[in-house]
Amino acid sequence: MLVSFIETSPIIMELTYILQDIDSAAKTVLEAITSKTLLFNGEMGSGKTTFIKALVKALGSEDTVSSPTFSIVNEYQTQEDSIYHFDLYRIESTDELYQIGIEDYLATNSWKMIEWPDRLGEIDLDATNILTFYTEKTGERRLKLDINERITPNSPMYNENLT
């Protein structure tokens, strides 16, 4: 696993890993993040849900992790905490998020792992960690971590020009 830190503000970390190293990559990310709100960007099939499975395991949960594509949110438990895993792919409006009680989830001090965060619309988030996933031609996965970002409707979720 290749880890590099880029000295900018906010702190950025890049990881390149293969699937066999995903547990180690998840632990590295958990050591670097600064809040319990993680936003997951990347194309369909780029490894977002697979990485969330590794994070949930690293946090000590023995729950079976699956994509909440149809339920929108799944809850997992550790001995000390709850983990809310959102898949917002099917969300078409902010009203739908309010109907599922998104504000209540976001107000907790529990872990929040949100796939397709661009669907959050007008909802502001403080102190987030943005993980952007890329699939390399070699089959490796590349992850970019932006730490402690404040997300507003006018802020970009990720930079597609990552080199």
Side-chain angles (χ1 to χ4, degrees), residues 90-140:
R90 295 182 330 111
I91 295 295
E92 294 183 12
S93 72
T94 308
D95 287 341
E96 289 180 64
L97 293 171
Y98 291 128
Q99 289 172 9
I100 67 163
I102 192 79
E103 291 173 306
D104 295 331
Y105 288 112
L106 296 177
T108 70
N109 191 35
S110 298
W111 288 92
K112 295 162 284 283
M113 300 183 185
I114 304 171
E115 295 184 60
W116 305 100
D118 56 314
R119 304 293 207 289
L120 287 168
E122 66 191 40
I123 297 172
D124 290 348
L125 297 173
D126 288 320
T128 64
N129 301 275
I130 302 171
L131 293 89
T132 305
F133 292 81
Y134 304 88
T135 304
E136 301 295 329
K137 292 177 185 175
T138 61
E140 292 177 316

Side-chain angles (χ1 to χ4, degrees), residues 54-119:
L55 289 170
V56 169
K57 178 181 172 185
L59 289 168
S61 177
E62 296 180 10
D63 292 342
T64 301
V65 176
S66 62
S67 178
T69 301
F70 295 102
S71 61
I72 309 298
V73 63
N74 288 344
E75 182 177 353
Y76 315 115
Q77 294 295 315
T78 69
Q79 294 235 354
E80 303 86 32
D81 213 345
S82 295
I83 303 167
Y84 298 110
H85 174 196
F86 297 87
D87 183 333
L88 305 183
Y89 182 75
R90 295 182 330 111
I91 295 295
E92 294 183 12
S93 72
T94 308
D95 287 341
E96 289 180 64
L97 293 171
Y98 291 128
Q99 289 172 9
I100 67 163
I102 192 79
E103 291 173 306
D104 295 331
Y105 288 112
L106 296 177
T108 70
N109 191 35
S110 298
W111 288 92
K112 295 162 284 283
M113 300 183 185
I114 304 171
E115 295 184 60
W116 305 100
D118 56 314
R119 304 293 207 289

Side-chain angles (χ1 to χ4, degrees), residues 10-11 28-38 109 111 126-131 145-149:
I11 299 169
T28 299
V29 166
L30 287 174
E31 291 170 1
I33 61 174
T34 57
S35 79
K36 291 181 170 182
T37 302
L38 289 79
N109 191 35
W111 288 92
D126 288 320
T128 64
N129 301 275
I130 302 171
L131 293 89
L145 174 62
D146 292 285
I147 298 175
N148 208 17
E149 286 281 319

Side-chain angles (χ1 to χ4, degrees), residues 37-53:
T37 302
L38 289 79
L39 308 181
F40 293 80
N41 287 303
E43 294 181 11
M44 191 155 317
S46 63
K48 297 179 298 292
T49 301
T50 302
F51 202 82
I52 290 172
K53 287 179 185 181

